[in-house]
Amino acid sequence: MNENLHTLRCFGCGARIAGQEASPDFRCMQCGDLFEVEYAGWGQRQGHNRPNPGALKWLWRERRCSSEALDQSGVWRFRELLPILDNFGNAVSLREGNTPLYKLKRAAKALGIDQLFAKHQGMNPTGSFKDTGMTAALSVARERGFEWVACASTGNTSAAMAAYAARAGLRSLVLIPEGKIAWGKLSQAMDYGAVTCQLKSDFDGCVRLLTQIVKQAPIYLLNSVNPYRLEGQKTPAFEIAEAFDWTVPDHLIVPGGNLANSSALGKGFRELHELGLVARVPHISVIQAEGANPLARSFAETNGERMDPVEAHTRATAIRIGNPASWRKAARVVKETGGWCLDVTEAEIAIAKAELGAEGLGCEPASAVTLAGLKKLREQGKVAASETIVLLLTGHTLKDADYTINFHRGTLLSDDEVAGHQAEIAALQRNAVVVDPTPSAVLATLKGMAG
Ligand code: F0G
């Protein structure tokens, strides 16, 4: 099969262009909407570009035993389904993907669900799911000869972009909202050598500014409006399907910020279905923080038809986004798959994060919205006990250690936010204790705990 088979199709007006023709801000010149990567012939039952499902499943599994760098990537292992490069030798990889799928026993029991899993995308090289998208889009940037790449970010995209750019020998520019990203993420951008500008603005303001900049200089935009990011970010759908032996779970629950990831995963499952690799697709639900919930509002008020931006506020800084670029794509995924979109409070996020932590699965606050959302869906009778459910954990717990420490010290949430949750929170808090350096003092502490 040829390596590069793709065209770009506008999500709004359906216009098709060659990849090279995209404008620097990746907006359609006709209608201003976003593009999606499309592969000729995949929608038809017969076609010379249509891959053979059985052969692919065998090949992808075989590659897990290969020592080739490209095969060891959980993104490029599936390269037949992302033919976006002229030459796969241009791929820039940090061996991303191939992340673990963990069974969540305690949370499943508490919710009365048989089969609950967490796909932990925080176990990627820079600690977030962004690596899967970045390996794809940054490889395109390199193949097209760009020297500079840039993104606006709530932190994780910038960490991933800076690392992949450094690997490829490209320069990178990061725009972040001052004081509103977790330190772990900022430190990564610095470590990987990005030019990091902290702006007195929010994420949405950083995006607006960068859109102007890329129109004035030959800088390749790596925000998730770049459709190649989504090609990499769709591959966890392949890993999940493979892990369930190609009988997909009933329900996938994803956090929603700029709403590219839910769009990408929906595309991944849709393509597997179109190509005959799976018999159905899972419901895909998107969960937002209550203070940054434009899509949840859109579903509540207009069933996902219209979206009004909001001014975003949440301690889950990764998803502090009021005007998500990919909302139309995500709304289509939720509707097409029969999923839901709802929001959860700051206390619900903090509790869910501590519960996941207590199962040995640390994650970022933004990732924990998935468990908080599942609880709500279960309360509302939208999820049956017999369903197989996968929560997508998007970032590693060490990205935002301050949040975790503040939760356990009892300094994270306000009294108003805690109201009604005191007992749950107290049962989860594990503040560090200061004791004398003697065996008896430490053992007395254990006794106190048991009592
Ligand atoms: N979880 C984490 C840990 C994130 O960093 C993000 C987005 C999301 C969830 C939401 O994903 O935007 O595709 O809906 N972070 C971006 C960034 C915006 O700049 O790192 P989304």
Side-chain angles (χ1 to χ4, degrees), residues 22-27 146 148-152 173 175 206-223 225:
S23 61
D25 64 353
F26 290 104
R27 294 275 172 184
F146 281 87
W148 278 89
V149 293
C151 71
L173 167 68
L175 302 189
C206 293
V207 169
R208 281 195 298 274
L209 184 67
L210 189 56
T211 306
Q212 292 167 17
I213 293 171
V214 295
K215 287 178 184 163
Q216 292 172 27
I219 300 177
Y220 192 69
L221 181 63
L222 282 174
N223 273 92
V225 292

Side-chain angles (χ1 to χ4, degrees), residues 145-295:
F146 281 87
E147 283 173 28
W148 278 89
V149 293
C151 71
S153 179
T154 58
N156 280 326
T157 300
S158 52
M161 181 188 74
Y164 283 83
R167 295 297 296 169
L170 305 189
R171 303 294 310 280
S172 63
L173 167 68
V174 164
L175 302 189
I176 48 172
E178 190 194 18
K180 292 176 198 144
I181 80 165
W183 288 117
K185 303 174 189 180
L186 177 61
S187 72
Q188 287 180 291
M190 293 171 168
D191 205 24
Y192 304 136
V195 176
T196 304
C197 300
Q198 294 182 269
L199 304 181
K200 293 189 193 316
S201 182
D202 57 9
F203 170 80
D204 302 296
C206 293
V207 169
R208 281 195 298 274
L209 184 67
L210 189 56
T211 306
Q212 292 167 17
I213 293 171
V214 295
K215 287 178 184 163
Q216 292 172 27
I219 300 177
Y220 192 69
L221 181 63
L222 282 174
N223 273 92
S224 56
V225 292
N226 181 321
Y228 301 109
R229 283 266 311 276
L230 275 64
E231 292 308 287
Q233 282 176 215
K234 74 186 181 185
T235 56
F238 308 160
E239 288 185 3
I240 292 170
E242 185 184 55
F244 287 97
D245 206 15
W246 306 100
T247 59
V248 298
D250 296 300
H251 202 151
L252 175 66
I253 303 183
V254 187
N258 215 15
L259 296 171
N261 203 30
S262 34
S263 311
L265 293 162
K267 184 174 194 278
F269 279 112
R270 192 184 326 128
E271 287 176 354
L272 288 183
H273 189 233
E274 274 172 10
L275 292 169
L277 283 118
V278 296
R280 62 184 175 96
V281 301
H283 304 300
I284 298 183
S285 290
V286 175
I287 315 296
Q288 298 196 295
E290 192 182 55
N293 64 353
L295 191 69

